[in-house]
Amino acid sequence: MSSTNYLDELNPVQRKAVEHIEGPLMVIAGAGSGKTRVLTYRIAHLIHKGIDPYNILALTFTNKAAREMKERISRIVGPSDAKALWMGTFHSVFARILRNEADRIGYPKNFTIYDTADSRSLLKNIITKELKLDDKVYKVSIVHNRISAAKNNLLTAADYANQSILLQEDASAKRPQLSEIYRRYEKRCFNSGAMDFDDLLFKTNVLLKNSPEALLKYQEKFKYIMVDEFQDTNFAQAIILKRLAARYENICVVGDDAQSIYAFRGANIQNILNFKRDYQDTATYKLEQNYRSTQTIVGAANSIIAKNKEQLDKNVWTQNATGDSIQLIRARSDNEEGRAIADEIYRTRSEEQAANSDFAILYRTNAQSRAMEEALRKLNIPYRIYGGLSFYQRKEIKDILAYFRLLVNHKDEEALRRVINYPKRGLGQTTIDRITVFSSEQGVSIWDGILQLLANPRGLNSGTITKLSEFINMIRSFEGTLETENAYELASKMAASSGILRELYQDKTIEGVSRYENIQELLAGIKEFTDSAPEGEVRYLADFMQDVALLTDQDKDDKNDSDRVGLMTVHSAKGLEFPYVFIVGLEENLFPSQMSTGTRSELEEERRLFYVALTRAEKKAYLSYALTRYKWGNLIYCEPSRFLEEIDSSFISTPPSKESFSPSGSDSRQVKRLTKTPTRATPSINPAPNRKLVRMSESGSRPNLGRAQGPSDLSPGMEVEHQRFGKGKVIRVEGNPESRKATINFEGKGEKQLLLKFAQLTVLKSS
C-alpha cells in the first residue's frame, strides 16, 4: 500500500481521527468499531507526514496486539520505519527503559523480572520462615494483592508504614505485620536484583520523578504518544503518561469506557472519563459504527449499557443485517445447561457448516467450565480453555528457566532457591534455610551469602561446602558465554549441564515423558526465537528471558488449538470475537457476582462486563441460566440475572413458559435426581421470537393446577408443593407484588415463610 491510499479504507470519523496529528486527542471507540485500524493507520500517517518513527511511542496491553499492529504498519510504511517504533505493552516498554537507565535507580541492567509465582514464593518464605507468622492468617495471595495495590498507588514500603488508615485496616484484618512484610519483600527484591510486574511501573515512576535528566530524555524522545485500551490504565500508568506527555502534549488515547472491566487489577475508569479535564484542548472523535455484530446484538448491548449512569455519551450503531434474535436457554441444572449448549453447538456446526473455532462459551468464573467440558467431551467436540495453566508455568519449564535466570542474574534469589538442590545434589532444606537466614542477617543476596560461607564456612561441614562449591562453579562456568553464544546454544548446554534433561529422560512414566518433551519444546522455541532475529542481530539468553517474562495470557501459541471451541471467562474474552457466543450462568450472585453488587460502581462494572461478553458475538448470541446449581457441595436454587430483564425484550427469544422447571417430586431428592440425570428435552433454545422474559406468571388470572405460580396467584387455603419442603397449605399471603411473602405449613416440616417470586411453588389444589 503506497502513498495515502490507506486513508480511503477509513470511514469519515475514522479518517478525521487518523489525520488529527497535533495536540491531545481522545478516540472513543465503541465495540467492533475498528479502533485497531485507527491506531495502526494513525501511526502510519504520522510517519507519512515526516515524523521520525523513533519519536513515536505506542502502548498496548498485550504483546500480541503490538505485533499485529506493527505488522500492519510495516506493510504501509515499510519494515525499516516500523522497526524504529517503540511499540509494546506498558510493561515491556518500561522494562526496556529501566534496563537502559537501571544505574540511575541502583539496579543492575540484567535485573530479573519476577512473575506472580516468584513473588508469592518469596512472600511465603518471609511470612513463614523469617517472621514465623501463620500463613492461614497472612495468606500469601492476600498479602501479595495488598502490596500490589500499594505499588499501583505509588506507595513504597516506607510510605505504607506511614499511612495510618492502611495500618488500621491491617490491624482490623488481624494482619498488623503486613507493613513489615512489605518492607522485607522490597529489600529482598532489591538485594536479588529483581523487580516484580508492579515494579516495572513503580520504578519507572521513580525514575521519571527522581531523575530530571531521564525525564527530559524520554519527553524529547517520545514526542508522539498513543495508548490503546486507555480505560484499562491504572493510577501508576496514568502518572507515567502525564509525565512523558507534559512537554509536547501530543498524546492520543483510544478506548471505550463501556468496556472498562479491570477494576480488580487497579484499572481506573476515571482516567478516560476525566481525560478532557487533564487536557482541556482535547479533540474528541467517536467511533460509533459497529462492523462486527448484527443489529440485534448491537441493539441488545446498547439497551444493557444504557442502564449505567457513569459513562461517556455515544450511540453505537451498525449497517449489518438484523440477524437472529438472542436465544435464551433455561435449564434445570448446570449440567443440563452444559448439555443444552453442547447440543446447540453440535446442531449449528452441522446445519451452518461452522467450524469449532467459531464458537465461544463465556462464563463469570473458571469453576463453571466443568459442566461445559463434560458436555462437550460427551459429544466429542474439541475445545480449548483460555487462561488455563500456561506452558511457562509448568514445573519442569519453571525449573529450567530458573537455571537460565540464574545465569543471567546470580543474585536472583527465587531462581537460586528453586534449583540449588534440583536435581538433587545433597543440599537439604535445613542447609538452605541456614544459608537464607545467614544471608538475610548479612543483608546480602543468597548467592553472596554462599560466597561468604565458602570463604568462611561458619559451621558448615566439608561435604556441604564441596556441594555448594560445585554448584557455584557450574553456574560460573557459563559466565563468559552470556554474550558470546546465542540463546539457543547456551540454553542447550545449560539444560544438559544442570542434569535436568538426564533426570527427566530417565523417567519413563507418561508424565515423565511429557515433561521431557516439554523441555524439548522449550528448546525448540528458543531456537525459533534465535533464528528469527533480524539480519545482523544476535539474540542472547537475556533477551529470551525478558521476552518470556513479559508474556501475557493472550500471547500464547495457538497453533495446536486452531479448530476448537473456546471456553473462557469474560475477562479473558476481552478483545476477541466469535460468530457464535454463549454467555452462561446468568444468575443473580453469579453474574452479576455476589461480590460486586455492594455499590453502584461495582454493579456498573459487572454490567460493563456483560456488555463486553455480548459484544464478542458476530452472528448469534445465546444467554443461559440454570435454576439449580451445586456450590460448595450444596444444591442451591438460582434466580435469573437482573441483566436478562434489562435487555430490551424485542431482541430476545425466550423459552415458552410451559418448559420452565416445575419438579413434581415431594422432596429435595427429586430435585437432585433431576439435576444429575435430566432429560435432554427440558432446556429450550428455539422458542417463538420476541417473547417477554418473565420469571413467573404475575397476570392475576386464576391459577392453573400443576403449574409454578407467581406472587399474585397465591391465596390462603391453597394446597401447594415446594421443590424442597414438599406438600403444604398456604396460611397467609402478605406484602406488595414485588416482595410478597407466603406463610405455608408443610407436612412434617412446619411453617415456612417464603418470598414468592423465588419460591417456585406448584399449586395442587385451589382454595
Side-chain angles (χ1 to χ4, degrees), residues 540-551:
Y540 299 111
L541 192 60
D543 300 319
F544 176 77
M545 294 309 298
Q546 172 154 317
D547 198 60
V548 168
L550 296 169
L551 283 175

Side-chain angles (χ1 to χ4, degrees), residues 332 660-666 670-671 674 721-723 760 762:
R332 291 184 288 188
S660 64
F661 181 32
S662 303
S664 57
S666 59
Q670 172 73 2
V671 178
L674 286 169
E721 185 171 34
H722 185 264
Q723 300 163 359
Q760 290 284 331
T762 302

Side-chain angles (χ1 to χ4, degrees), residues 171-220:
S172 298
K174 295 182 169 45
R175 289 187 284 269
Q177 292 271 53
L178 207 147
S179 174
E180 175 62 15
I181 296 171
Y182 185 8
R183 185 188 71 80
R184 294 189 181 218
Y185 175 76
E186 186 179 72
K187 183 178 180 182
R188 292 277 288 277
C189 285
F190 184 77
N191 287 343
S192 297
M195 295 187 195
D196 62 22
F197 255 53
D198 297 311
D199 281 327
L200 297 178
L201 304 179
F202 184 85
K203 300 296 183 184
T204 301
N205 267 300
V206 170
L207 172 69
L208 299 179
K209 179 182 177 182
N210 296 345
S211 174
E213 298 85 0
L215 177 59
L216 180 60
K217 173 182 175 180
Y218 289 100
Q219 285 177 337
E220 284 295 328

Side-chain angles (χ1 to χ4, degrees), residues 113-147:
I113 300 172
Y114 280 175
D115 63 14
T116 299
D118 297 322
S119 296
R120 293 186 175 181
S121 175
L122 175 54
L123 284 168
K124 185 172 183 179
N125 186 269
I126 293 170
I127 292 166
T128 59
K129 299 290 177 63
E130 289 189 27
L131 295 176
K132 312 293 185 186
L133 298 172
D134 185 350
D135 59 1
K136 292 184 177 63
V137 176
Y138 288 87
K139 290 184 178 179
V140 173
S141 60
I142 293 175
V143 173
H144 183 232
N145 290 340
R146 189 78 167 167
I147 293 173

Side-chain angles (χ1 to χ4, degrees), residues 142-426:
I142 293 175
V143 173
H144 183 232
N145 290 340
R146 189 78 167 167
I147 293 173
S148 175
K151 288 186 178 182
N152 284 329
N153 284 285
L154 305 182
L155 295 176
T156 64
D159 295 330
Y160 191 100
N162 289 321
Q163 295 282 328
S164 58
I165 294 177
L166 296 178
L167 299 182
Q168 287 170 11
E169 289 174 353
D170 291 339
S172 298
K174 295 182 169 45
R175 289 187 284 269
Q177 292 271 53
L178 207 147
S179 174
E180 175 62 15
I181 296 171
Y182 185 8
R183 185 188 71 80
R184 294 189 181 218
Y185 175 76
E186 186 179 72
K187 183 178 180 182
R188 292 277 288 277
C189 285
F190 184 77
N191 287 343
S192 297
M195 295 187 195
D196 62 22
F197 255 53
D198 297 311
D199 281 327
L200 297 178
L201 304 179
F202 184 85
K203 300 296 183 184
T204 301
N205 267 300
V206 170
L207 172 69
L208 299 179
K209 179 182 177 182
N210 296 345
S211 174
E213 298 85 0
L215 177 59
L216 180 60
K217 173 182 175 180
Y218 289 100
Q219 285 177 337
E220 284 295 328
K221 176 171 176 51
F222 301 134
K223 293 178 180 177
Y224 294 85
I225 300 172
M226 295 190 66
V227 187
D228 189 16
E229 305 284 12
F230 187 65
Q231 76 280 351
D232 294 334
T233 54
N234 61 25
F235 177 71
Q237 289 163 330
I239 294 297
I240 292 172
L241 290 170
K242 284 181 182 177
R243 287 188 168 131
L244 290 176
R247 190 168 183 83
Y248 292 99
E249 292 197 347
N250 290 322
I251 178 170
C252 168
V253 300
V254 181
D256 181 8
D257 58 294
Q259 298 186 64
S260 178
I261 60 173
Y262 293 114
F264 70 96
R265 293 183 186 171
N268 186 357
I269 192 174
Q270 298 303 321
N271 289 343
I272 192 167
L273 295 179
N274 296 330
F275 186 77
K276 283 188 174 182
R277 186 190 66 187
D278 296 330
Y279 300 94
Q280 294 184 2
D281 56 345
T282 297
T284 302
Y285 296 99
K286 298 177 182 179
L287 308 183
E288 297 173 308
Q289 183 175 358
N290 181 299
Y291 292 94
R292 175 189 300 155
S293 308
T294 64
Q295 291 180 25
T296 296
I297 292 168
V298 170
N302 285 346
S303 70
I304 279 287
I305 204 63
K307 305 297 188 296
N308 274 8
K309 292 183 179 180
E310 194 169 39
Q311 60 179 307
L312 298 169
D313 179 52
K314 62 182 170 298
N315 178 37
V316 179
W317 57 278
T318 184
Q319 290 182 334
N320 293 342
T322 302
D324 295 335
S325 295
I326 294 171
Q327 299 293 303
L328 183 67
I329 301 174
R330 180 192 292 129
R332 291 184 288 188
S333 69
D334 49 351
N335 287 337
E336 196 167 273
E337 179 186 38
R339 279 194 289 273
I341 289 168
D343 285 345
E344 178 65 5
I345 291 174
Y346 191 89
R347 183 194 66 78
T348 304
R349 190 180 59 175
S350 174
E351 292 182 4
E352 301 187 20
Q353 289 75 53
N356 292 312
S357 57
D358 289 339
F359 299 89
I361 301 174
L362 311 184
Y363 34 76
R364 183 64 181 83
T365 66
N366 279 306
Q368 293 169 253
S369 73
R370 179 200 58 79
M372 301 298 148
E373 290 185 70
E374 288 181 4
L376 292 170
R377 280 200 298 266
K378 286 176 181 176
L379 292 182
N380 293 318
I381 299 174
Y383 63 89
R384 169 197 175 187
I385 296 181
Y386 287 65
L389 182 65
S390 164
F391 177 80
Y392 291 100
Q393 293 298 318
R394 295 185 170 112
K395 179 185 180 300
E396 63 274 13
I397 300 301
K398 287 188 73 70
D399 288 338
I400 192 66
L401 289 178
Y403 272 104
F404 298 164
R405 282 166 46 181
L406 202 55
L407 285 183
V408 174
N409 174 16
H410 296 341
K411 294 185 177 183
D412 185 336
E413 178 176 325
E414 285 307 299
L416 190 149
R417 289 172 59 82
R418 188 176 188 97
V419 300
I420 192 171
N421 196 41
Y422 179 76
K424 292 187 181 301
R425 50 178 58 87

Side-chain angles (χ1 to χ4, degrees), residues 432-717:
I432 296 169
D433 288 344
R434 285 180 64 186
I435 295 170
T436 302
V437 171
F438 171 77
S439 303
S440 180
E441 290 172 349
Q442 300 300 309
V444 297
S445 67
I446 294 181
W447 177 274
D448 288 336
I450 293 174
L451 295 182
Q452 289 185 23
L453 288 170
L454 290 179
N456 183 1
R458 304 192 189 196
L460 293 180
N461 62 48
S462 59
T464 299
I465 291 297
T466 299
K467 292 164 187 171
L468 285 171
S469 181
E470 289 173 350
F471 174 72
I472 293 292
N473 289 337
M474 178 188 65
I475 301 298
R476 278 181 159 174
S477 67
F478 292 96
E479 283 180 352
T481 62
L482 274 171
E483 295 187 2
T484 59
E485 296 188 347
N486 67 39
Y488 175 71
E489 293 168 344
L490 184 52
S492 298
K493 291 178 181 178
M494 184 73 253
S497 296
S498 68
I500 287 181
L501 276 179
R502 182 173 61 254
E503 171 114 342
L504 294 179
Y505 183 76
Q506 291 172 350
D507 183 353
K508 299 301 182 183
T509 64
I510 294 175
E511 295 80 7
V513 171
S514 175
R515 286 192 287 267
Y516 180 79
E517 290 174 346
N518 284 338
I519 295 292
Q520 295 297 336
E521 177 65 23
L522 173 68
L523 293 174
I526 299 175
K527 183 70 164 66
E528 183 179 355
F529 173 81
T530 304
D531 292 347
S532 63
E535 187 175 350
E537 178 183 316
V538 178
R539 287 180 169 170
Y540 299 111
L541 192 60
D543 300 319
F544 176 77
M545 294 309 298
Q546 172 154 317
D547 198 60
V548 168
L550 296 169
L551 283 175
T552 68
D553 290 343
Q554 293 189 21
D555 294 322
K556 290 181 285 186
D557 187 1
D558 296 343
K559 287 185 292 187
N560 296 323
D561 297 297
S562 57
D563 190 29
R564 298 171 181 268
V565 173
L567 274 65
M568 68 201 82
T569 64
V570 182
H571 284 100
S572 297
K574 177 78 180 299
L576 304 178
E577 55 188 39
F578 302 88
Y580 307 93
V581 170
F582 295 83
I583 308 170
V584 305
L586 279 162
E587 299 139 29
E588 283 294 300
N589 299 326
L590 183 55
F591 199 178
S593 167
Q594 186 175 12
M595 304 294 290
S596 302
T597 55
T599 66
R600 180 169 62 82
S601 63
E602 290 174 341
L603 181 59
E604 289 201 351
E605 172 134 339
E606 286 290 299
R607 191 175 286 113
R608 291 194 295 269
L609 190 61
F610 182 47
Y611 175 84
V612 166
L614 191 53
T615 55
R616 299 311 93 199
E618 297 172 349
K619 291 175 62 176
K620 196 165 184 178
Y622 301 80
L623 310 176
S624 72
Y625 67 93
L627 292 167
T628 63
R629 187 177 296 274
Y630 275 95
K631 188 174 183 180
W632 311 119
N634 297 313
L635 184 70
I636 63 169
Y637 300 96
C638 307
E639 174 193 1
S641 169
R642 70 188 73 189
F643 295 154
L644 294 174
E645 290 187 338
E646 292 178 354
I647 300 176
D648 187 317
S649 62
S650 65
F651 299 115
I652 294 186
S653 293
T654 64
S657 58
K658 68 180 180 180
E659 297 192 33
S660 64
F661 181 32
S662 303
S664 57
S666 59
D667 58 27
S668 60
R669 286 173 296 177
Q670 172 73 2
V671 178
K672 290 181 181 179
R673 186 164 65 252
L674 286 169
T675 303
K676 292 178 180 177
T677 57
T679 63
R680 286 188 178 269
T682 299
S684 174
I685 57 176
N686 288 308
N690 300 334
R691 296 191 52 150
K692 176 72 176 175
L693 172 64
V694 180
R695 285 188 181 137
M696 291 186 175
S697 168
E698 298 186 14
S699 63
S701 60
R702 179 169 178 166
N704 295 318
L705 302 186
R707 291 277 302 279
Q709 301 304 316
S712 61
D713 294 330
L714 225 59
S715 60

